[in-house]
Amino acid sequence: ETGVTQTPRHLVMGMTNKKSLKCEQHLGHNAMYWYKQSAKKPLELMFVYSLEERVENNSVPSRFSPECPNSSHLFLHLHTLQPEDSALYLCASSQDSTRYNEQFFGPGTRLTVL
Amino acid sequence: AQKITQTQPGMFVQEKEAVTLDCTYDTSDQSYGLFWYKQPSSGEMIFLIYQGSYDEQNATEGRYSLNFQKARKSANLVISASQLGDSAMYFCAMRDQGGSEKLVFGKGTKLTVNP
């Protein structure tokens, strides 16, 4: 596997379910991100982890809970979500030492909350 | 607060022609970076090109070039010799280079390349 991978690619869940999104990066990067992409809205940064430590939390509701056990893995735990949480959730990673420190994105998880 | 504006919800171009996608930004920072990403229907965001605020020359990467006009706070993406595979959403983004890793994205432009 290369780049940034995300599983599952599609997820349908009820409002009372608990599920987790997984992101894995094979690039040796030291920072990882969760973004939310809703229809007709700009990408919204949710969480930033640098060296496995959370450095940014953009006022995200507590029903979204991130976890970064090591520099290669990032999880987003979901519970009691609302229909408006339906969106594409994108994971990204970056490395300070690269020329532009550009973020590399995974293919996303398409989440539907019923 | 930083802000990115992409005024073109959709653009159409004929194959092999050039197209310009507009992006304006608003920031009070002196040091910042501008990015363009491409998002095909598969969902993955693909990095295309970067322009630093202190770069004197416009960035170029293959068929992509960035028309950077700092005084007008614009960073338009020019795609030359359009290909059918260029059909996708294109996002302009900005990062504060004061140490934050945060990227602020525009709403995107949907480009359709016609044969």
Side-chain angles (χ1 to χ4, degrees):
Chain A
E1 290 269 23
T2 58
V4 182
T5 57
Q6 289 187 244
T7 54
R9 293 293 308 274
H10 300 272
L11 178 63
V12 179
M13 59 187 289
M15 290 190 286
T16 58
N17 292 157
K18 287 186 180 181
K19 297 286 183 183
S20 295
L21 309 185
K22 179 182 177 182
C23 175
E24 186 172 358
Q25 59 97 359
H26 310 269
L27 301 167
H29 288 169
N30 58 11
M32 296 186 78
Y33 312 78
W34 278 117
Y35 287 88
K36 176 184 179 183
Q37 187 178 28
S38 304
K40 299 182 181 179
K41 291 177 71 175
L43 259 74
E44 303 170 65
L45 179 66
M46 300 176 72
F47 300 103
V48 180
Y49 277 83
S50 180
L51 297 172
E52 302 152 45
E53 191 174 318
R54 190 191 305 182
V55 296
E56 182 132 8
N57 172 0
N58 274 6
S59 302
V60 179
S62 60
R63 57 186 184 269
F64 295 93
S65 175
E67 179 190 1
C68 187
N70 55 62
S71 59
S72 299
H73 293 86
L74 184 65
F75 294 89
L76 187 63
H77 304 300
L78 317 171
H79 66 96
T80 59
L81 293 192
Q82 305 297 312
E84 59 264 30
D85 296 324
S86 298
L88 180 68
Y89 288 84
L90 290 162
C91 174
S93 69
S94 68
Q95 177 68 27
D96 290 343
S97 59
T98 59
R99 186 177 175 190
Y100 308 131
N101 194 17
E102 68 269 28
Q103 294 180 16
F104 292 80
F105 285 79
T109 294
R110 176 74 61 186
L111 174 67
T112 302
V113 181
L114 302 176
Chain B
Q2 297 175 328
K3 184 180 176 182
I4 294 284
T5 302
Q6 292 180 255
T7 57
Q8 306 154 316
M11 287 285 286
F12 294 86
V13 65
Q14 286 298 121
E15 194 178 8
K16 299 180 185 178
E17 292 185 352
V19 63
T20 298
L21 306 183
D22 295 342
C23 173
T24 57
Y25 59 91
D26 186 21
T27 181
S28 56
D29 296 322
Q30 296 301 310
S31 180
Y32 49 88
L34 295 157
F35 299 77
W36 276 93
Y37 282 85
K38 171 185 178 181
Q39 186 180 39
S41 57
S42 59
E44 184 175 352
M45 298 279 280
I46 302 167
F47 165 72
L48 295 178
I49 196 167
Y50 169 85
Q51 180 85 42
S53 58
Y54 290 116
D55 293 342
E56 294 184 352
Q57 294 197 338
N58 287 345
T60 60
E61 291 284 352
R63 294 186 298 112
Y64 304 108
S65 61
L66 204 151
N67 184 1
F68 182 45
Q69 298 186 44
K70 192 171 181 178
R72 298 178 63 180
K73 293 190 175 178
S74 75
N76 298 340
L77 177 70
V78 180
I79 305 175
S80 62
S82 297
Q83 301 172 357
L84 295 178
D86 293 334
S87 294
M89 285 291 292
Y90 287 81
F91 293 91
C92 181
M94 177 168 60
R95 185 183 71 224
D96 165 18
Q97 306 214 140
S100 167
E101 304 299 330
K102 183 177 178 178
L103 275 180
V104 176
F105 284 82
K107 289 188 176 183
T109 296
K110 184 175 182 180
L111 176 66
T112 302
V113 181
N114 295 318

